[in-house]
Amino acid sequence: MDAPSEQLLGIARWATAWLFLSLLSLATGCQYVRPTMNEPLARWDADYGYRSTNLPPSKTGSSDSLFIVASFSGGGARASALSYGVLRELSRTQIRWEGIDKRLVDELNIINALSGGSFTAAYYALYGDRIFHDFEYRFLRKDWESELRSRILRSPSNWLRLWSPYFGRAHVFSELLDEALFDGHTYGDLVAQRRRPMVFIHASDMASLARFEFNQRQFDLLCSDLNQLRISVATASSAALPLILSPISMTNYAGQCGYRPPAALLEEKTTAWGRQRANELRSYLDPRKRPYVHLLDGGLSDNIGMRAVLENTAYIGDLESTFQSLGAKRIRKLVYLMVSAETTPDPKQYTLNEIPGLMRVSKALVDIPINRYSTDTAELMRQAVSQWRRELRQRPPDAQRIFTPDAEIYFITVSLAEIEDAVEHARFMNIPTNLALTDDELDHLLLAASRLLRKDKDFQRLLHDLEADATATPLPSR
């Protein structure tokens, strides 16, 4: 046999061996790559874990008396940037509250966040003011889509893992976030800090179409220990947009930890929203019917994060009871801050007399319900705030409740849809809802966040009232 023939035979043998090993690895890999994302809870304790009652108020940080509830919407990196811009502006806003000089951001108590907004919220909860020094270059000015593609396409081990029916692209994204952004931190690390704000990251339950919140109250239903869950898993679940990322699954261990459902979960509700939310939560108590919880992008169930406020209030009963369940006391000013990076459709994409392609149809299937849903939620929130204001004013003067007799409610909105200039509006609507921004797009989003916040009438009213209160409040004695 001549030398070229021997070389060809050697190559063929090597290729056969490589193919055999690859198929063997693939076969064993499909069985082995079955990650368990959440751990069981050894014993249920109503006071354990990541819940609002374990993040107490403080004099220099967030108090109960000025209670700010923010929502950071979905919308890719544009949502991350807009919410970051709002946080930065709040940090630049100096106030004097109850005789103490602080920043308005220090009074941020709760953030409801999902999809793109969840990255900003989780990073701020974890690292505090560090976000204003490194979040831009660690997250906002990086092309995460290219990073994810590279990690998938250039890694043979990921090719094999992705053949497993239990492992998907969202798992790879979670690993990337864990290494490059959240540094391996878990919810247990958030509890150990004992520092507000409390962040409720939202995903969407594929089976019930309901909002799934990453907090210990939700995980109590699963008899699962949220403290052991990596923050990257929650944010990846919240951003798992269909067709782009795969779902992430949680194991349901219900019935194994001695969990006792609260009265609010078992009692009959008087409103349709309350009944629906109670039924959604009760469904997790039967692990035979719900052995796994498959999660997708949080925007599919509530893209602006304020529906959680409405549903939870209806589920618990009323505004007073809701904040009582959070452990709040003596609220004087309740502030709802809605940050929305919503988009509006571009009619120019549909001017041709041809059937839209699969990608455009798929995008519309997601965008149409999200945008319609978000508009309805924002309007319902405005109506609810007006109703709550009336209820507070109509209380008996001697009522000793969560809210003080002079309590006031504010509803502040920072929405790209509210930009009035047509050219500027079109510019922001053309920024895609992916995970990659140009430097120019980011700079414009940060400026827009500051302008929209400062322009909001309820924000101006809040600052006016805080200044009046500071003038009327005597200095604390030394």
Side-chain angles (χ1 to χ4, degrees):
M1 183 179 294
D2 56 14
S5 299
E6 289 182 357
Q7 290 179 350
L8 290 174
L9 182 60
I11 292 174
R13 288 172 177 170
W14 180 88
T16 302
W18 182 89
L19 180 60
F20 173 76
L21 290 174
S22 297
L23 291 174
L24 180 62
S25 299
L26 181 60
T28 58
C30 286
Q31 297 175 7
Y32 178 76
V33 182
R34 187 170 184 168
T36 300
M37 308 309 293
N38 61 312
E39 298 297 329
L41 184 64
R43 182 179 60 84
W44 174 73
D45 183 346
D47 297 323
Y48 169 80
Y50 191 64
R51 60 184 84 229
S52 57
T53 50
N54 288 332
L55 303 180
S58 65
K59 291 183 178 180
T60 57
S62 60
S63 64
D64 282 353
S65 53
L66 174 51
F67 204 104
I68 302 178
V69 180
S71 67
F72 293 170
S73 80
R78 56 185 274 150
S80 307
L82 191 68
S83 55
Y84 170 72
V86 169
L87 278 180
R88 191 176 68 172
E89 191 62 31
L90 292 176
S91 73
R92 296 171 175 173
T93 306
Q94 299 294 319
I95 64 170
R96 185 173 183 81
W97 180 242
E98 297 183 332
I100 299 175
D101 292 321
K102 57 176 65 176
R103 308 163 305 169
L104 194 53
V105 74
D106 296 326
E107 289 289 353
L108 191 53
N109 293 64
I110 292 175
I111 304 176
N112 292 299
L114 56 121
S115 196
S118 69
F119 305 118
T120 309
Y123 200 86
Y124 182 61
L126 183 61
Y127 295 119
D129 281 358
R130 174 177 156 182
I131 193 174
F132 305 120
H133 303 289
D134 64 6
F135 189 65
E136 283 193 43
Y137 74 81
R138 289 198 75 186
F139 184 81
L140 294 176
R141 296 190 187 274
K142 289 179 64 174
D143 185 344
W144 287 88
E145 295 202 350
S146 295
E147 294 262 358
L148 179 60
R149 282 196 299 269
S150 176
R151 178 161 291 217
I152 292 175
L153 298 177
R154 298 182 183 181
S155 172
S157 63
N158 280 334
W159 302 346
L160 297 175
R161 292 200 297 169
L162 288 170
W163 275 96
S164 169
Y166 311 106
F167 189 88
R169 296 179 301 280
H171 294 87
V172 179
F173 187 43
S174 172
E175 294 172 350
L176 175 61
L177 289 169
D178 192 53
E179 297 170 16
L181 190 64
F182 296 116
D183 308 313
H185 285 292
T186 66
Y187 273 88
D189 297 319
L190 290 179
V191 176
Q193 293 180 160
R194 292 178 63 82
R195 180 184 67 208
R196 297 181 183 181
M198 172 116 188
V199 171
F200 297 124
I201 292 176
H202 300 171
S204 298
D205 184 333
M206 290 182 65
S208 64
L209 311 180
R211 183 186 72 259
F212 184 94
E213 297 181 357
F214 283 86
N215 59 65
Q216 189 55 51
R217 286 192 178 188
Q218 177 91 58
F219 272 61
D220 282 344
L221 300 168
L222 308 179
C223 273
S224 182
D225 188 355
L226 182 63
N227 274 18
Q228 299 187 50
L229 189 80
R230 292 180 183 261
I231 296 171
S232 60
V233 174
T235 53
S237 301
S238 183
L241 192 67
L243 302 180
I244 298 176
L245 292 175
S246 58
I248 285 183
S249 303
M250 299 288 148
T251 302
N252 190 354
Y253 306 101
Q256 302 179 21
C257 65
Y259 172 66
R260 293 194 300 273
L265 184 62
L266 301 177
E267 64 190 12
E268 186 65 27
K269 304 300 176 182
T270 59
T271 65
W273 277 23
R275 287 191 294 272
Q276 177 179 339
R277 187 57 180 163
N279 289 334
E280 291 167 352
L281 295 176
R282 290 186 197 120
S283 70
Y284 299 113
L285 297 177
D286 189 346
R288 293 172 299 177
K289 293 182 178 179
R290 301 290 311 275
Y292 300 99
V293 182
H294 305 289
L295 302 176
L296 281 173
D297 192 294
L300 300 174
S301 54
D302 175 17
N303 196 49
I304 58 176
M306 277 298 173
R307 196 171 185 89
V309 171
L310 298 169
E311 288 182 347
N312 288 340
T313 303
Y315 164 69
I316 295 176
D318 54 38
L319 192 66
E320 293 266 359
S321 301
T322 299
F323 283 92
Q324 185 177 28
S325 71
L326 296 173
K329 299 176 181 178
R330 306 295 291 171
I331 298 176
R332 293 176 58 197
K333 296 188 184 300
L334 172 59
V335 181
Y336 290 109
L337 170 59
M338 184 181 77
V339 183
S340 176
E342 63 184 299
T343 60
T344 54
D346 182 7
K348 295 178 182 178
Q349 297 181 4
Y350 303 96
T351 56
L352 298 178
N353 184 24
E354 60 181 28
I355 298 175
L358 177 62
M359 291 303 297
R360 190 166 295 173
V361 171
S362 300
K363 186 176 185 300
L365 287 174
V366 173
D367 288 348
I368 289 173
I370 282 180
N371 289 344
R372 301 287 290 185
Y373 208 31
S374 298
T375 301
D376 293 346
T377 299
E379 181 57 32
L380 288 170
M381 187 65 195
R382 291 187 184 93
Q383 295 175 12
V385 168
S386 297
Q387 177 184 336
W388 294 334
R389 283 174 181 154
R390 289 193 299 270
E391 291 175 355
L392 289 180
R393 295 189 184 108
Q394 294 169 0
R395 292 180 306 162
D398 59 344
Q400 298 295 320
R401 298 185 179 179
I402 301 299
F403 291 89
T404 62
D406 61 342
E408 181 56 279
I409 306 179
Y410 306 80
F411 182 43
I412 300 167
T413 60
V414 177
S415 173
L416 294 177
E418 294 182 355
I419 296 176
E420 296 177 352
D421 182 85
V423 175
E424 188 178 17
H425 184 272
R427 171 194 291 169
F428 285 105
M429 292 303 108
N430 285 328
I431 298 176
T433 56
N434 55 21
L435 289 176
L437 292 172
T438 67
D439 288 340
D440 184 64
E441 289 169 342
L442 175 58
D443 293 338
H444 278 89
L445 283 165
L446 296 181
L447 288 174
S450 298
R451 288 199 310 267
L452 288 167
L453 179 63
R454 290 286 173 183
K455 188 178 178 181
D456 183 85
K457 292 182 178 179
D458 253 22
F459 181 75
Q460 296 171 2
R461 184 168 69 92
L462 172 64
L463 294 185
H464 176 271
D465 291 351
L466 290 174
E467 184 177 356
D469 186 88
T471 303
T473 302
L475 294 175
S477 58
R478 299 197 176 192

